[in-house]
Amino acid sequence: MDDLVRACERLWPRGISIFLSHRARFRNPLSPVDREALADAEAARDPAVVAVVAEDLPERLDRLERGTYFPVPLARAVAGGRAFDDALMSFHYPPVVVDADRRWSWKGGPVAERIRRFFVQHIGFEPALGVWFVEYRVNDGWWDKCYLECETTPLVAIQLREESAAAGRGVVADLNNGRTDTLDPDSLRLDERERLFASSADHGLVEIADAPRFALLRTVSEDCRTVEFAGTRRTLQWPDDTSGGRRTQCF
C-alpha cells in the first residue's frame, strides 16, 4: 500500500488520479477514508497493479491526459496480451469541468441539463485532497464516481439560518445538493465579481446565493469591511486590488 500511495502522490499534482474498485465503490489511495477501506483489498497489493501506477504511468507522464485511470483492468488487459499504450485510454475517465460561471462540460462538450441536475444532487467533497466529486449508486453492486475540475465551487448555499446562542451562533446552510452544512462565519469573502463565498464544515468552499447574499450585504459597515453575521460583526474579505488599493464602492 505504501508503494501505491507514493506513486499516486507523484501523479496527483499533474491532475492524474487513480481509482481502485473495492466492495462496489471506487477508492483513491490518496484519500485517508479510501485508504482505510482499501486495507484488505488484494488489488492494492498486486505487483502488476502497483507497477502500472508506479512505473508505467510515470514513464508516460508528459503524454498522459488529465483525469482518472483504472490500473486494475489496465493491468489485466496488458496481462491478456494487449499493448499498454493501446489499452491505456480504454481505462481513462476525463474530469467533468465546472467553469467560472458554473457551466458543466465533459470532453469539451456541455453536460446535458438533466444530467447536470442529477450530478449536483450527488456532489461530495474530499477535504484531504481539496476536490469535489460526484458519487451515486448505480445498483447494489456498483457506485459510480468521478472528480470535478472546478474554476469555482459547484455548491451554493441557497438559504441560511442561524443556530441558537446555546449552539454557538453558527450558521446552517441549505445547499443546492440537497444537504445541509455549517458555515464558518469568519470566512466570508467576495471575489472579483462580487460573488460571496464562505467555508463549510464538510463541503469546502460554497457560494452564497443572491437572496441571502443581499440580506448580508445590507448590513455592511460604512467602510465596507464588516457585515452582521451569526450575531456579531464579521470581517468581510475583499479580493486583492492589483492597482495597490482596495475597492471602495459599497453595495
Side-chain angles (χ1 to χ4, degrees), residues 220-251:
V220 71
S221 60
E222 290 186 6
D223 62 3
C224 297
R225 293 181 182 274
T226 65
V227 291
E228 184 74 22
F229 194 43
T232 190
R233 304 300 300 184
R234 307 283 183 171
T235 299
L236 180 62
Q237 302 175 49
W238 289 80
D240 293 336
D241 188 333
T242 56
S243 66
R246 292 186 67 87
R247 183 186 295 271
T248 57
Q249 180 180 355
C250 289
F251 300 86

Short mmCIF file of all heavy atoms in Angstrom, two decimals, residues 220-251:
data_model
loop_
_atom_site.label_atom_id
_atom_site.label_comp_id
_atom_site.label_asym_id
_atom_site.label_seq_id
_atom_site.Cartn_x
_atom_site.Cartn_y
_atom_site.Cartn_z
N VAL A 220 -23.70 45.80 5.68
CA VAL A 220 -22.29 46.15 5.55
C VAL A 220 -21.99 47.48 6.25
O VAL A 220 -22.81 48.40 6.26
CB VAL A 220 -21.88 46.20 4.06
CG1 VAL A 220 -22.49 47.40 3.35
CG2 VAL A 220 -20.38 46.18 3.90
N SER A 221 -20.83 47.58 6.86
CA SER A 221 -20.42 48.80 7.55
C SER A 221 -20.06 49.89 6.54
O SER A 221 -19.90 49.64 5.35
CB SER A 221 -19.21 48.52 8.44
OG SER A 221 -18.12 48.04 7.67
N GLU A 222 -19.92 51.11 7.02
CA GLU A 222 -19.63 52.24 6.14
C GLU A 222 -18.31 52.06 5.40
O GLU A 222 -18.17 52.51 4.26
CB GLU A 222 -19.62 53.55 6.94
CG GLU A 222 -21.00 53.97 7.42
CD GLU A 222 -20.97 55.35 8.08
OE1 GLU A 222 -19.89 55.99 8.03
OE2 GLU A 222 -22.01 55.77 8.60
N ASP A 223 -17.35 51.41 6.02
CA ASP A 223 -16.06 51.20 5.35
C ASP A 223 -16.04 49.91 4.54
O ASP A 223 -15.00 49.54 3.97
CB ASP A 223 -14.91 51.20 6.36
CG ASP A 223 -15.01 50.07 7.38
OD1 ASP A 223 -15.94 49.25 7.28
OD2 ASP A 223 -14.15 50.03 8.29
N CYS A 224 -17.18 49.23 4.48
CA CYS A 224 -17.34 48.01 3.68
C CYS A 224 -16.45 46.86 4.16
O CYS A 224 -16.15 45.93 3.40
CB CYS A 224 -17.04 48.28 2.19
SG CYS A 224 -18.16 49.44 1.44
N ARG A 225 -16.06 46.87 5.40
CA ARG A 225 -15.14 45.84 5.89
C ARG A 225 -15.80 44.80 6.79
O ARG A 225 -15.21 43.76 7.05
CB ARG A 225 -13.98 46.49 6.65
CG ARG A 225 -13.07 47.31 5.75
CD ARG A 225 -11.91 47.92 6.55
NE ARG A 225 -11.05 48.74 5.70
CZ ARG A 225 -10.05 48.28 4.97
NH1 ARG A 225 -9.77 46.99 4.99
NH2 ARG A 225 -9.32 49.09 4.23
N THR A 226 -16.99 45.05 7.29
CA THR A 226 -17.66 44.08 8.15
C THR A 226 -19.14 43.99 7.78
O THR A 226 -19.73 44.92 7.20
CB THR A 226 -17.55 44.45 9.64
OG1 THR A 226 -18.26 45.68 9.88
CG2 THR A 226 -16.10 44.60 10.06
N VAL A 227 -19.74 42.83 8.13
CA VAL A 227 -21.18 42.63 7.99
C VAL A 227 -21.69 41.98 9.27
O VAL A 227 -20.91 41.41 10.04
CB VAL A 227 -21.53 41.74 6.78
CG1 VAL A 227 -21.24 42.45 5.48
CG2 VAL A 227 -20.80 40.40 6.86
N GLU A 228 -22.98 42.04 9.47
CA GLU A 228 -23.61 41.37 10.60
C GLU A 228 -23.89 39.93 10.20
O GLU A 228 -24.63 39.66 9.25
CB GLU A 228 -24.92 42.07 10.97
CG GLU A 228 -25.62 41.50 12.20
CD GLU A 228 -24.92 41.89 13.50
OE1 GLU A 228 -24.20 42.90 13.53
OE2 GLU A 228 -25.13 41.18 14.51
N PHE A 229 -23.28 39.00 10.95
CA PHE A 229 -23.42 37.59 10.58
C PHE A 229 -23.26 36.74 11.83
O PHE A 229 -22.30 36.89 12.57
CB PHE A 229 -22.35 37.22 9.54
CG PHE A 229 -22.57 35.91 8.83
CD1 PHE A 229 -23.83 35.55 8.37
CD2 PHE A 229 -21.51 35.06 8.58
CE1 PHE A 229 -24.02 34.36 7.68
CE2 PHE A 229 -21.69 33.86 7.91
CZ PHE A 229 -22.96 33.51 7.45
N ALA A 230 -24.23 35.88 12.09
CA ALA A 230 -24.20 34.98 13.25
C ALA A 230 -24.02 35.76 14.55
O ALA A 230 -23.22 35.40 15.40
CB ALA A 230 -23.11 33.93 13.09
N GLY A 231 -24.79 36.83 14.69
CA GLY A 231 -24.89 37.52 15.97
C GLY A 231 -23.84 38.55 16.27
O GLY A 231 -23.87 39.15 17.35
N THR A 232 -22.93 38.83 15.35
CA THR A 232 -21.90 39.84 15.62
C THR A 232 -21.34 40.35 14.30
O THR A 232 -21.68 39.87 13.22
CB THR A 232 -20.78 39.26 16.49
OG1 THR A 232 -19.92 40.31 16.92
CG2 THR A 232 -19.96 38.23 15.73
N ARG A 233 -20.49 41.38 14.38
CA ARG A 233 -19.85 41.91 13.18
C ARG A 233 -18.72 40.96 12.75
O ARG A 233 -17.92 40.53 13.57
CB ARG A 233 -19.26 43.30 13.44
CG ARG A 233 -20.22 44.34 13.95
CD ARG A 233 -21.37 44.62 13.01
NE ARG A 233 -20.96 45.11 11.70
CZ ARG A 233 -21.82 45.49 10.74
NH1 ARG A 233 -23.13 45.40 10.95
NH2 ARG A 233 -21.38 45.93 9.58
N ARG A 234 -18.71 40.65 11.49
CA ARG A 234 -17.71 39.74 10.94
C ARG A 234 -16.94 40.44 9.84
O ARG A 234 -17.51 41.20 9.05
CB ARG A 234 -18.36 38.48 10.36
CG ARG A 234 -19.30 37.77 11.33
CD ARG A 234 -18.56 36.97 12.37
NE ARG A 234 -19.50 36.26 13.25
CZ ARG A 234 -19.15 35.35 14.14
NH1 ARG A 234 -17.87 35.03 14.29
NH2 ARG A 234 -20.06 34.76 14.89
N THR A 235 -15.65 40.12 9.73
CA THR A 235 -14.82 40.71 8.69
C THR A 235 -15.25 40.19 7.32
O THR A 235 -15.48 38.99 7.14
CB THR A 235 -13.34 40.37 8.91
OG1 THR A 235 -12.93 40.93 10.17
CG2 THR A 235 -12.47 40.96 7.81
N LEU A 236 -15.36 41.10 6.38
CA LEU A 236 -15.68 40.77 5.00
C LEU A 236 -14.41 40.91 4.18
O LEU A 236 -13.86 42.00 4.04
CB LEU A 236 -16.77 41.70 4.46
CG LEU A 236 -17.23 41.49 3.02
CD1 LEU A 236 -17.84 40.10 2.84
CD2 LEU A 236 -18.23 42.57 2.62
N GLN A 237 -13.92 39.78 3.66
CA GLN A 237 -12.68 39.80 2.90
C GLN A 237 -12.95 40.17 1.45
O GLN A 237 -13.84 39.60 0.82
CB GLN A 237 -12.01 38.43 2.96
CG GLN A 237 -11.70 37.97 4.38
CD GLN A 237 -11.15 36.56 4.40
OE1 GLN A 237 -10.24 36.22 3.65
NE2 GLN A 237 -11.74 35.71 5.24
N TRP A 238 -12.16 41.12 0.95
CA TRP A 238 -12.28 41.56 -0.43
C TRP A 238 -11.13 40.98 -1.24
O TRP A 238 -10.06 40.70 -0.70
CB TRP A 238 -12.22 43.09 -0.50
CG TRP A 238 -13.45 43.76 0.05
CD1 TRP A 238 -13.73 43.97 1.37
CD2 TRP A 238 -14.55 44.26 -0.69
NE1 TRP A 238 -14.95 44.60 1.49
CE2 TRP A 238 -15.47 44.79 0.24
CE3 TRP A 238 -14.84 44.33 -2.05
CZ2 TRP A 238 -16.66 45.37 -0.16
CZ3 TRP A 238 -16.03 44.92 -2.44
CH2 TRP A 238 -16.94 45.42 -1.51
N PRO A 239 -11.33 40.85 -2.56
CA PRO A 239 -10.21 40.38 -3.39
C PRO A 239 -9.11 41.42 -3.44
O PRO A 239 -9.35 42.62 -3.27
CB PRO A 239 -10.85 40.18 -4.77
CG PRO A 239 -12.04 41.09 -4.77
CD PRO A 239 -12.55 41.09 -3.35
N ASP A 240 -7.89 40.97 -3.67
CA ASP A 240 -6.77 41.90 -3.80
C ASP A 240 -6.99 42.81 -5.00
O ASP A 240 -7.46 42.39 -6.05
CB ASP A 240 -5.46 41.14 -3.98
CG ASP A 240 -5.08 40.37 -2.73
OD1 ASP A 240 -5.53 40.78 -1.64
OD2 ASP A 240 -4.34 39.37 -2.85
N ASP A 241 -6.62 44.07 -4.83
CA ASP A 241 -6.72 45.05 -5.90
C ASP A 241 -5.33 45.23 -6.50
O ASP A 241 -4.41 45.68 -5.82
CB ASP A 241 -7.22 46.39 -5.33
CG ASP A 241 -7.54 47.40 -6.42
OD1 ASP A 241 -6.94 47.30 -7.50
OD2 ASP A 241 -8.38 48.28 -6.16
N THR A 242 -5.16 44.85 -7.76
CA THR A 242 -3.83 44.90 -8.39
C THR A 242 -3.32 46.31 -8.55
O THR A 242 -2.14 46.53 -8.78
CB THR A 242 -3.86 44.22 -9.77
OG1 THR A 242 -4.89 44.83 -10.58
CG2 THR A 242 -4.18 42.73 -9.63
N SER A 243 -4.20 47.32 -8.41
CA SER A 243 -3.74 48.70 -8.52
C SER A 243 -3.08 49.18 -7.24
O SER A 243 -2.54 50.27 -7.19
CB SER A 243 -4.93 49.62 -8.85
OG SER A 243 -5.85 49.66 -7.77
N GLY A 244 -3.12 48.34 -6.20
CA GLY A 244 -2.46 48.69 -4.95
C GLY A 244 -3.41 49.19 -3.88
O GLY A 244 -3.02 49.37 -2.73
N GLY A 245 -4.66 49.41 -4.22
CA GLY A 245 -5.63 49.87 -3.24
C GLY A 245 -6.68 48.83 -2.99
O GLY A 245 -6.52 47.69 -3.36
N ARG A 246 -7.79 49.21 -2.37
CA ARG A 246 -8.90 48.30 -2.14
C ARG A 246 -10.15 48.92 -2.71
O ARG A 246 -10.28 50.13 -2.82
CB ARG A 246 -9.09 48.03 -0.64
CG ARG A 246 -7.96 47.23 -0.01
CD ARG A 246 -8.29 46.89 1.44
NE ARG A 246 -9.41 45.97 1.53
CZ ARG A 246 -9.28 44.66 1.49
NH1 ARG A 246 -8.11 44.11 1.30
NH2 ARG A 246 -10.33 43.88 1.60
N ARG A 247 -11.08 48.07 -3.08
CA ARG A 247 -12.34 48.54 -3.62
C ARG A 247 -13.02 49.44 -2.57
O ARG A 247 -13.12 49.10 -1.41
CB ARG A 247 -13.23 47.34 -3.95
CG ARG A 247 -14.55 47.70 -4.59
CD ARG A 247 -15.39 46.45 -4.74
NE ARG A 247 -14.78 45.52 -5.64
CZ ARG A 247 -14.98 45.49 -6.93
NH1 ARG A 247 -15.78 46.36 -7.50
NH2 ARG A 247 -14.38 44.59 -7.68
N THR A 248 -13.54 50.56 -3.02
CA THR A 248 -14.19 51.48 -2.10
C THR A 248 -15.68 51.58 -2.32
O THR A 248 -16.39 52.13 -1.48
CB THR A 248 -13.57 52.89 -2.25
OG1 THR A 248 -13.72 53.33 -3.61
CG2 THR A 248 -12.11 52.88 -1.87
N GLN A 249 -16.17 51.06 -3.42
CA GLN A 249 -17.60 51.13 -3.68
C GLN A 249 -18.34 50.10 -2.85
O GLN A 249 -17.99 48.93 -2.85
CB GLN A 249 -17.90 50.90 -5.16
CG GLN A 249 -19.38 50.96 -5.49
CD GLN A 249 -19.62 50.74 -6.96
OE1 GLN A 249 -18.69 50.62 -7.74
NE2 GLN A 249 -20.90 50.68 -7.35
N CYS A 250 -19.36 50.54 -2.12
CA CYS A 250 -20.19 49.61 -1.34
C CYS A 250 -21.48 49.34 -2.09
O CYS A 250 -21.80 49.97 -3.09
CB CYS A 250 -20.49 50.19 0.05
SG CYS A 250 -19.04 50.22 1.11
N PHE A 251 -22.25 48.40 -1.54
CA PHE A 251 -23.47 47.97 -2.21
C PHE A 251 -24.62 48.88 -1.83
O PHE A 251 -24.66 49.42 -0.75
CB PHE A 251 -23.80 46.52 -1.81
CG PHE A 251 -22.68 45.60 -2.18
CD1 PHE A 251 -21.61 45.40 -1.33
CD2 PHE A 251 -22.68 44.97 -3.40
CE1 PHE A 251 -20.57 44.57 -1.66
CE2 PHE A 251 -21.65 44.12 -3.75
CZ PHE A 251 -20.60 43.92 -2.89
#
